[in-house]
Structure formats: C-alpha cells, structure tokens
C-alpha cells in the first residue's frame, strides 16, 4: 500500500486536568476530560512508561484462535512486544516487534530481522497510550462527530494527513474505549483497537484487554494481567537480547533436541 508519510505539526502546551464543566460539543473539552481521567500529565507519563506480561491471541485464523505468552515494554515512543511460541512445554520461537516511533522491525528465530511497512510505525502514535498525548497536541484539527448508534460514547475525529483518526471516549468514565484509523484516500484501509477491562494500577487506570481489527477482520487480542507503570527502560532493552532467545529449543541432530544459543 502506497501511503504518504505524515509530518504532523506538534502544538505547544502542557496536558490539562479534566475540565469539570464546558461544552461537550467542543473537542478540547472532551480531550481534556479524557486526559484528566488518566491523571493529567503525571498519569500520562506513567502509562507511557510501563512493562507488562500476559498472553496474546491471534484471531486472524477464523478456525483457530491460538494463545501465546506475551511481554510488552514501552518507554515514550519506544515499544517492544515479544510473543513466545511454546510447544510441548518448550519455547520453540519468539516473535519480536520493536519501534522507536520512526522505524519498526520484526524478528523471529526462523526468518531473522526485517523492516516493517511505514504505516505500522505511523499508527503507533495513534494507539494507547501514545494517542492520549497525540490527541492533546493535535486537538486543533479535531471535531466532535454526532453518533446516534453507540449510546454513552463521544466521538472525536482528527484529520491527520491522508488519514482520519477517530477516538471513542466513554462519556461516564471519560476513558478511551477505541481508536479507529481509516484512510481518506484508500477506502479499503481501516485499523481499529479497542481498550477494555480497565483496572486502576497505583491510582492510574489502564486497560487490561486490547483487541485489534484490520480491514474489518479480527486481528489480535492481548491481555496484560501483570503490569508495572512508571518504569523507564533504557534503549538497549528494545533490541533482540540474548535473554530473548537463549531458551529457544532446536534439534541439533536426529532425535536430539537441545537449547539453541544465538
């Protein structure tokens, strides 16, 4: 897909605490309330820097939904996910996806490392938690979208170059429920991610369930039951570490399976 690389203009200003009053037809009011629901600037910093463990379910195969252990680490714009494939109690492969906000790449034991498409990096700014800060910085391009279908949800849409980014915000809790990304030039492109099962971690709400769809089809779902917020990770942890692959098992001879050392 030939998608133009966007160069969004960042708007100055600190994140605001939720407004107690204001016109809910004003996107600034809705975005401020959403930011405040996470604890303002301090809360945003906490959810932008975290480490978590859980499991991911691949939903792209309609017949079989497979689950894998899953680690997730984020520090600002840097993101690293590691999905582990376990067979008969042994780790047989890992799939690592890492992004620094400018470039993204994928690694697995069988095929090695390869760069990912530009749009896969682009949308990292529009997914939770980075989208919270992004929405505040780009609220000047936002508008409130009337919605007569989903009760109790406010829709705020942002024009971002060739794309439309729509946030669905719960009107009771003011927490983000979903982000929908559509292309203004390619009607076949649509990506969405839903955020559910919120719980409060040391005073800050964070979704436990992330569910993604791509081109209208189920894509992935992951849960993060083990989570620590406010953890800043060094850049060195976002590569492929020896610890990521040290326990992978590979047959070294006929009938002999031992741990592979990268």
């Amino acid at each position: 897909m030939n998608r133009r690389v966007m160069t969004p203009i960042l708007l100055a200003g600190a994140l605001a605490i939720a407004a107690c009053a204001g016109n809910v037809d004003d996107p600034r009011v809705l975005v401020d309330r959403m930011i405040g629901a996470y604890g303002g600037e301090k809360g945003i910093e906490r959810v932008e820097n975290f480490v978590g463990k859980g499991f991911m379910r691949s939903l792209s195969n309609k017949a079989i939904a497979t689950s894998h252990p899953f680690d997730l680490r984020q520090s600002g714009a840097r993101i690293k996910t590691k999905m582990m494939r376990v067979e008969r109690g042994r780790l047989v492969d890992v799939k690592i996806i890492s992004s620094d906000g400018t470039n993204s790449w994928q690694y697995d034991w069988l095929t090695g490392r390869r760069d990912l498409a530009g749009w896969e990096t682009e949308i990292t700014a529009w997914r939770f938690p980075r989208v919270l800060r992004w929405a505040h910085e780009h609220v000047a391009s936002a508008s409130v979208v009337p919605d007569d279908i989903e009760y109790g949800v406010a829709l705020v849409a942002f024009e971002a170059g060739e794309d439309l980014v729509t946030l669905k915000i719960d009107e009771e809790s003011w927490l983000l429920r979903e982000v929908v990304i559509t292309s203004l030039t390619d009607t076949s492109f649509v990506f969405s991610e839903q955020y559910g099962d919120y719980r409060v971690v040391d005073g800050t709400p964070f979704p436990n369930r992330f569910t993604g769809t791509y081109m209208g089809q189920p894509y992935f779902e992951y849960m993060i039951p083990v989570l620590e917020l406010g953890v800043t990770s060094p850049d060195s942890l976002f590569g492929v570490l020896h610890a990521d692959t040290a326990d992978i098992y590979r047959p070294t001879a006929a009938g002999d399976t031992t741990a592979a050392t990268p």
Side-chain angles (χ1 to χ4, degrees), residues 151-223:
Y151 177 78
V153 177
L155 274 60
V156 182
F158 300 76
E159 289 192 20
E162 296 182 351
D163 297 282
L164 186 69
V165 182
T166 303
L167 277 57
K168 297 185 179 183
I169 305 170
D170 189 293
E171 291 182 323
E172 182 176 350
S173 65
W174 300 110
L175 297 173
L176 180 64
R177 293 298 181 184
E178 185 177 4
V179 173
V180 181
I181 302 166
T182 54
S183 173
L184 297 174
T185 59
D186 180 359
T187 56
S188 68
F189 179 85
V190 57
F191 173 86
S192 69
E193 191 168 58
Q194 296 180 345
Y195 312 105
D197 296 347
Y198 271 90
R199 85 274 202 189
V200 177
V201 180
D202 297 329
T204 305
F206 197 98
N208 184 52
R209 184 189 301 270
F210 292 63
T211 305
T213 66
Y214 180 60
M215 303 299 196
Q217 299 298 319
Y219 192 34
F220 64 79
E221 180 177 69
Y222 59 87
M223 305 281 290

Side-chain angles (χ1 to χ4, degrees), residues 47-80:
V47 299
E48 285 180 331
N49 298 275
F50 69 89
V51 292
K53 292 181 178 293
F55 61 90
M56 170 178 277
R57 300 175 65 220
S58 176
L59 306 177
S60 56
N61 186 328
K62 293 182 179 180
I64 302 174
T66 55
S67 296
H68 305 279
F70 178 72
D71 291 351
L72 177 60
R73 178 183 300 275
Q74 182 156 343
S75 192
R78 285 193 171 274
I79 305 168
K80 177 183 176 181

Side-chain angles (χ1 to χ4, degrees), residues 88-259:
R88 298 181 180 179
R90 288 179 168 176
L91 179 66
V92 298
D93 207 348
V94 296
K95 181 178 181 180
I96 295 173
I97 297 178
S98 185
S99 176
D100 61 7
T102 302
N103 298 290
S104 298
W105 51 265
Q106 175 179 303
Y107 169 90
D108 60 68
W109 180 271
L110 291 176
T111 60
R113 174 172 166 161
R114 65 180 179 87
D115 292 333
L116 295 178
W119 71 266
E120 296 192 56
T121 302
E122 182 178 306
I123 67 172
T124 61
W126 302 331
R127 300 173 63 192
F128 184 90
R130 290 187 63 201
V131 71
L132 302 177
R133 190 181 297 275
W134 181 90
H136 187 272
E137 292 172 341
H138 295 79
V139 72
S141 67
S143 60
V144 176
V145 180
D147 182 23
D148 298 327
I149 300 176
E150 296 186 68
Y151 177 78
V153 177
L155 274 60
V156 182
F158 300 76
E159 289 192 20
E162 296 182 351
D163 297 282
L164 186 69
V165 182
T166 303
L167 277 57
K168 297 185 179 183
I169 305 170
D170 189 293
E171 291 182 323
E172 182 176 350
S173 65
W174 300 110
L175 297 173
L176 180 64
R177 293 298 181 184
E178 185 177 4
V179 173
V180 181
I181 302 166
T182 54
S183 173
L184 297 174
T185 59
D186 180 359
T187 56
S188 68
F189 179 85
V190 57
F191 173 86
S192 69
E193 191 168 58
Q194 296 180 345
Y195 312 105
D197 296 347
Y198 271 90
R199 85 274 202 189
V200 177
V201 180
D202 297 329
T204 305
F206 197 98
N208 184 52
R209 184 189 301 270
F210 292 63
T211 305
T213 66
Y214 180 60
M215 303 299 196
Q217 299 298 319
Y219 192 34
F220 64 79
E221 180 177 69
Y222 59 87
M223 305 281 290
I224 317 176
V226 179
L227 181 68
E228 187 176 359
L229 301 182
V231 179
T232 302
S233 302
D235 291 351
S236 59
L237 294 184
F238 291 88
V240 179
L241 309 178
H242 175 75
D244 293 329
T245 60
D247 294 332
I248 294 178
Y249 280 79
R250 283 288 178 265
T252 57
D256 178 24
T257 304
T258 57

